[in-house]
Amino acid sequence: MLKPEILDPQGQAVQRALPRLGFDGISDVRQGKRFELEVDGPLDEAALARIHDLAESFLANTVIEDFTVRVEEAAEVAEAAK
C-alpha cells in the first residue's frame, strides 16, 4: 500500500465515484497491490523471514509503500478470489 503521506489519485477517483454509484458512507479509499506466493516445503520462521526480505527488497518500493506479509491457506485464497 502507498504510505499515508503519498498522494493516491486512483483511490481518490474511486472515492469520488462511490456516491454516484450508490455507495455512501465511505470516508477514504486507498488503492494498493497484492502478490500471492505459493511456497514449496514448510512455512517456518526462516521461510517467512526470507519472504519478508523478498517483499522489502524486491516487491515493495519502501520509499513510498508500506507492506505486510500474511499467510493464508490455499482454500482461503480461493474463497477470497470469488
Side-chain angles (χ1 to χ4, degrees):
M1 295 295 298
L2 290 171
K3 291 183 176 184
E5 62 272 15
I6 302 298
L7 183 64
D8 182 3
Q10 184 176 359
Q12 291 173 344
V14 170
Q15 182 180 355
R16 287 190 303 272
L18 290 176
R20 294 191 308 269
L21 298 171
F23 296 98
D24 296 317
I26 306 297
S27 60
D28 192 25
V29 176
R30 302 286 291 175
Q31 70 89 29
K33 61 185 175 184
R34 173 179 165 155
F35 294 94
E36 294 182 3
L37 307 174
E38 292 187 25
V39 178
D40 294 331
L43 192 57
D44 55 16
E45 290 299 319
L48 285 173
R50 285 193 349 265
I51 291 168
H52 187 275
D53 290 344
L54 166 70
E56 185 173 35
S57 63
F58 183 68
L59 300 178
N61 177 349
T62 56
V63 173
I64 62 169
E65 296 173 326
D66 290 323
F67 70 92
T68 59
V69 174
R70 185 175 66 203
V71 176
E72 294 181 2
E73 296 298 322
E76 294 175 23
V77 172
E79 184 64 29
K82 289 183 182 178

